[in-house]
Amino acid sequence: ETLRGEFDIRFDVYLRGYISEVARKELARYKGTRVLRQSDDFAEYISSLRRSDVNVYAYNQDPASVAYMGKGIPNKTCELLAAGRPILAYGPTTFAGLIYLEDHKAACVVNAPANLAQAIRKLKNSPSESQALIDNARELCRSKTRLVGGASPRSARQAPA
């Protein structure tokens, strides 16, 4: 909310199922925030990611989520890397997914709410830094996941071994 005077910021949150109604109620108090139904069509889903100025990658930080997510890299990681937009990743920096993104300089990683405004300013005010994140994410997709052709992990074909 503190950045609304500086930037025209809109948050579109794409969710499915029960959690979308919970989020709609929780986020209704924030101006410029919409909870939208995530399309079941994967191409439309990727298209929505590509229309974003920045894609936010946020982890729940309750004990059960920390125990479950701390050691793995979710599918969402590859989807966001392939979308071709800057990524703002938020959560404990001990999580494998955030370590992976930070080590490859493929996202602006933030571990505390107090640092979110500064990170958003950086992404909005420095197109060259945002582009570097995008370029690093593309290279990561090419070199580590060996994706070729398509725009998304689910639709791309694997390169020959």
Side-chain angles (χ1 to χ4, degrees):
E1 290 295 311
T2 59
L3 294 175
R4 293 213 186 274
E6 292 178 53
F7 303 112
D8 179 24
I9 295 177
R10 185 185 77 227
F11 287 100
D12 290 342
V13 181
Y14 290 90
L15 298 168
R16 284 186 275 204
Y18 166 77
I19 195 64
S20 65
E21 288 308 313
V22 172
R24 189 171 281 112
K25 290 175 187 170
E26 287 291 320
L27 299 174
R29 67 178 180 249
Y30 297 107
K31 182 181 174 188
T33 300
R34 303 182 303 174
V35 177
L36 306 167
R37 186 180 187 290
Q38 180 179 319
S39 175
D40 292 328
D41 178 78
F42 191 71
E44 175 53 35
Y45 166 63
I46 290 297
S47 179
S48 69
L49 293 177
R50 286 185 167 168
R51 287 190 301 266
S52 301
D53 290 330
V54 174
N55 284 304
V56 178
Y57 183 67
Y59 278 102
N60 291 333
Q61 297 185 38
D62 60 278
S65 295
V66 170
Y68 177 72
M69 298 300 297
K71 295 175 180 60
I73 299 175
N75 291 339
K76 177 76 64 194
T77 306
C78 290
E79 295 166 2
L80 294 177
L81 288 169
R85 303 304 307 140
I87 301 168
L88 172 60
Y90 172 75
T93 54
T94 57
F95 277 18
L98 295 181
I99 292 169
Y100 186 74
L101 291 170
E102 190 166 47
D103 283 355
H104 291 91
K105 296 178 176 56
C108 181
V109 178
V110 177
N111 67 350
N115 299 335
L116 284 169
Q118 178 182 357
I120 292 170
R121 280 186 191 100
K122 179 179 174 180
L123 291 170
K124 292 293 282 180
N125 291 329
S126 181
S128 62
E129 286 189 46
S130 292
Q131 188 60 51
L133 293 174
I134 293 168
D135 293 344
N136 292 341
R138 283 187 184 141
E139 180 56 29
L140 184 56
C141 281
R142 278 193 285 272
S143 66
K144 299 293 184 190
T145 63
R146 297 178 32 198
L147 295 174
V148 294
S152 67
R154 293 184 193 172
S155 66
R157 60 184 168 80
Q158 289 289 325

